[in-house]
Amino acid sequence: MTTTLFEGGRVLTLDADGNDYQDGCVLVRDDRIDYVGPRDGLPAGPVDRTLDVGGKLVMPGLVNGHTHLSMVFGRTLGPEKRLMQWLDQQLPIIEAFDEEAMYVAQLLGCLENLKNGNTTLVENLVAPHPPGYTPEHAVLQAMRDAGVRATLAPGFLGRNFRPSYTESLDLQARRIIDLTHDWHGADNDRLRLATGPLLPWCMDEAMFRQTRALADDLGITLHMHGAETKEFHALIARHFGRDIRQVELLAETGCLGPDVQLAAVYDISPDEVRLLAESDTRVLLDPPTRLFWGTGFPPIHPFLEAGVTCGLATNGPAANCGQDLFESMKYACATAKTAKGDPDALDAARALRMATSEGALAIGREGQVGSLAPGLKADIITLDLHQPHLAPTLDVRAALVYSARGTDVRDVMVDGRLLIEDRRALFLDESALLEQAGRLARRCAREAGIALPG
């Protein structure tokens, strides 16, 4: 049994009671939180390791509800393109991956998430399946080695897409069954599997129903993009031969519910919002990407007003060029206010919950992570508050949402294991990884026929 004590800092629990301890401490026993509270209430007993966090804020790790770490090698390529044209540039790079490239891309993405304070993430894998290796195995091995809490959601593509990425549902189902049996709940439930179509027009109605049945049989969640741009509606109507919107299609095929996560939901009608609320479907919002692609201000307030559970996400590192969930919190508030014309449309306290406890609920990790409380998993981060852009910290919640950055994160613990200490990765040689990633990214771009800027 191993104990670690975070002592001497301010502890923001983000629990249901809003406990906030100016001179607090968090005692971790093995993989769980044993005590949270004022320092003078700490139970007596020996401690294996004490971390002096004086001048720092201790808080729960953030929950990144949707990303594409396999796209990290395409960071900064095509930021002025629309979504579909951007995909035409990104996908050939991943086609050039071998097992080493996939593993390194994923490991780099996990490291970036951890250094930004994202202790939990959902990786929506976009990758072909060449004969040389199985991408999912490289992804899960990278997640295991990084120590991050993660759900892998391989995206199904059954038709109307690049041939190298498209497979029959039988092949895809066989793979997800094997992966679920081998990996779902692995490493003390740190690693999980999900499934779902990557893009709606790449499935037909029967595929949607069969995917829902498969998820039910395996006891895993459905994770998919939803109503991402106005182009989606036109593409769905063309490929399904009728005027139907995506959420309506999902309702028709039984693919809504509390175990369903819809990412990037922006081109949505009031009736679709109602369907999401009535079915308790979860929504994952990534405002920086919407602004990056120029698709408009995401109408976040209709989801909030309808009572929809909302998490936050960064999207992939090639989509908005980063994995900073503090940025997503800030832009969520800014875009919600602008879209509604109301500065109270989304406040800092709710945005924080969306990045922590509500985000955990959105991806099925409730009661496990998202706040600091005895019995929960020890997923903990610290931030340095003694910086010009955070001083004076008169309202700590507002400071986290509107002023903090991922680079303010100093220490990161997942499952009771310290992974980042004073911004130094303890589980790998960061310099060596960055050099390897740069070399592999250039090789993959070259093989994909993409001319890199000078």
Side-chain angles (χ1 to χ4, degrees):
M1 184 174 292
T2 303
T3 53
T4 303
L5 178 65
F6 292 80
E7 183 180 42
R10 179 173 182 175
V11 178
L12 185 66
T13 67
L14 296 177
D15 64 7
D17 298 323
N19 288 310
D20 180 1
Y21 305 102
Q22 290 286 344
D23 184 17
C25 58
V26 181
L27 179 64
V28 174
R29 194 174 303 277
D30 292 335
D31 63 321
R32 295 188 180 271
I33 297 170
D34 191 65
Y35 170 81
V36 182
R39 183 154 46 174
D40 59 13
L42 179 68
V47 174
D48 297 309
R49 182 177 187 183
T50 298
L51 297 177
D52 181 358
V53 291
K56 296 179 182 178
L57 177 74
V58 184
M59 64 177 288
L62 305 182
V63 178
N64 186 358
H66 177 79
T67 188
H68 299 286
L69 300 183
S70 59
M71 290 184 170
V72 69
F73 284 1
R75 193 199 309 268
T76 70
L77 297 181
E80 287 82 27
K81 297 180 182 294
R82 292 189 180 277
L83 172 59
M84 302 311 294
Q85 290 72 40
W86 175 85
L87 280 172
D88 287 338
Q89 186 170 36
Q90 295 292 327
L91 296 175
I93 296 176
I94 303 175
E95 284 178 325
F97 277 23
D98 57 11
E99 187 170 10
E100 180 190 20
M102 179 61 76
Y103 175 83
V104 169
Q106 291 287 328
L107 193 60
L108 175 59
C110 288
L111 174 63
E112 184 181 1
N113 271 271
L114 290 168
K115 294 193 77 170
N116 279 286
N118 308 334
T119 54
T120 298
L121 61 87
V122 178
E123 162 66 346
N124 193 198
L125 181 65
V126 184
H129 289 84
Y133 78 106
T134 302
E136 290 86 354
H137 289 164
V139 173
L140 288 159
Q141 190 59 54
M143 292 171 171
R144 168 172 280 172
D145 292 346
V148 71
R149 190 175 305 282
T151 298
L152 171 59
F156 279 9
L157 292 159
R159 63 173 189 164
N160 303 326
F161 204 70
R162 295 175 71 93
S164 63
Y165 285 80
T166 305
E167 289 186 305
S168 71
L169 186 62
D170 286 345
L171 278 174
Q172 294 167 336
R174 203 173 309 139
R175 184 177 296 110
I176 201 70
I177 289 169
D178 290 343
L179 287 166
T180 300
H181 289 160
D182 292 343
W183 287 92
H184 188 60
D187 290 20
N188 200 24
D189 198 29
R190 191 167 53 77
L191 302 177
R192 291 183 179 178
L193 267 292
T195 190
L198 184 68
L199 297 169
W201 58 89
C202 296
M203 307 278 280
D204 60 25
E205 289 94 331
M207 290 177 180
F208 275 109
R209 293 190 177 93
Q210 289 165 6
T211 300
R212 158 51 87 186
L214 177 64
D216 288 346
D217 288 345
L218 295 174
I220 59 178
T221 57
L222 284 168
H223 184 96
M224 64 191 88
H225 294 78
E228 189 166 359
T229 74
K230 293 185 183 300
E231 293 174 277
F232 268 41
H233 179 53
L235 286 165
I236 291 168
R238 186 199 323 162
H239 289 298
F240 283 87
R242 53 198 174 108
D243 187 18
I244 187 168
R245 300 183 66 88
Q246 183 174 354
V247 175
E248 296 168 345
L249 177 65
L250 295 176
E252 185 180 283
T253 54
C255 291
L256 295 180
D259 61 342
V260 177
Q261 303 149 22
L262 283 186
V265 187
Y266 295 110
D267 178 35
I268 192 163
S269 69
D271 191 54
E272 288 177 291
V273 174
R274 178 187 59 78
L275 289 171
L276 294 176
E278 289 178 352
S279 61
D280 196 20
T281 300
R282 313 301 162 84
V283 167
L284 304 167
L285 303 163
D286 60 338
T289 306
R290 304 307 112 200
L291 302 177
F292 204 76
W293 281 329
T295 56
F297 288 104
I300 296 173
H301 64 277
F303 302 120
L304 306 182
E305 293 166 358
V308 174
T309 297
C310 296
L312 287 177
T314 61
N315 210 329
N320 70 3
C321 298
Q323 296 289 275
D324 187 343
L325 206 65
F326 291 96
E327 181 181 78
S328 294
M329 284 190 270
K330 181 175 183 175
Y331 279 100
C333 291
T335 54
K337 297 169 191 286
T338 301
K340 191 180 181 184
D342 179 0
D344 195 38
L346 173 59
D347 61 24
R350 178 67 184 274
L352 264 177
R353 292 200 302 274
M354 289 164 66
T356 53
S357 58
E358 188 172 349
L361 176 61
I363 66 167
R365 294 276 192 177
E366 70 274 14
Q368 187 178 58
V369 298
S371 62
L372 302 182
L376 295 188
K377 288 286 191 175
D379 290 11
I380 301 167
I381 63 175
T382 73
L383 285 84
D384 181 4
L385 296 179
H386 285 226
Q387 301 188 76
H389 66 277
L390 290 171
T393 308
L394 306 179
D395 182 331
V396 70
R397 291 167 179 79
L400 289 171
V401 172
Y402 298 119
S403 301
R405 306 164 187 160
T407 51
D408 298 328
V409 174
R410 289 294 178 267
D411 309 293
V412 178
M413 173 178 278
V414 179
D415 228 24
R417 177 187 172 198
L418 195 63
L419 300 175
I420 308 289
E421 185 173 17
D422 197 23
R423 293 205 60 75
R424 181 174 64 90
L426 303 180
F427 59 92
L428 52 67
D429 182 334
E430 183 171 338
S431 294
L433 176 65
L434 297 181
E435 189 281 329
Q436 185 181 18
R439 173 174 52 80
L440 290 170
R442 286 175 175 81
R443 187 200 77 193
C444 291
R446 183 172 61 252
E447 294 179 4
I450 294 173
L452 298 178

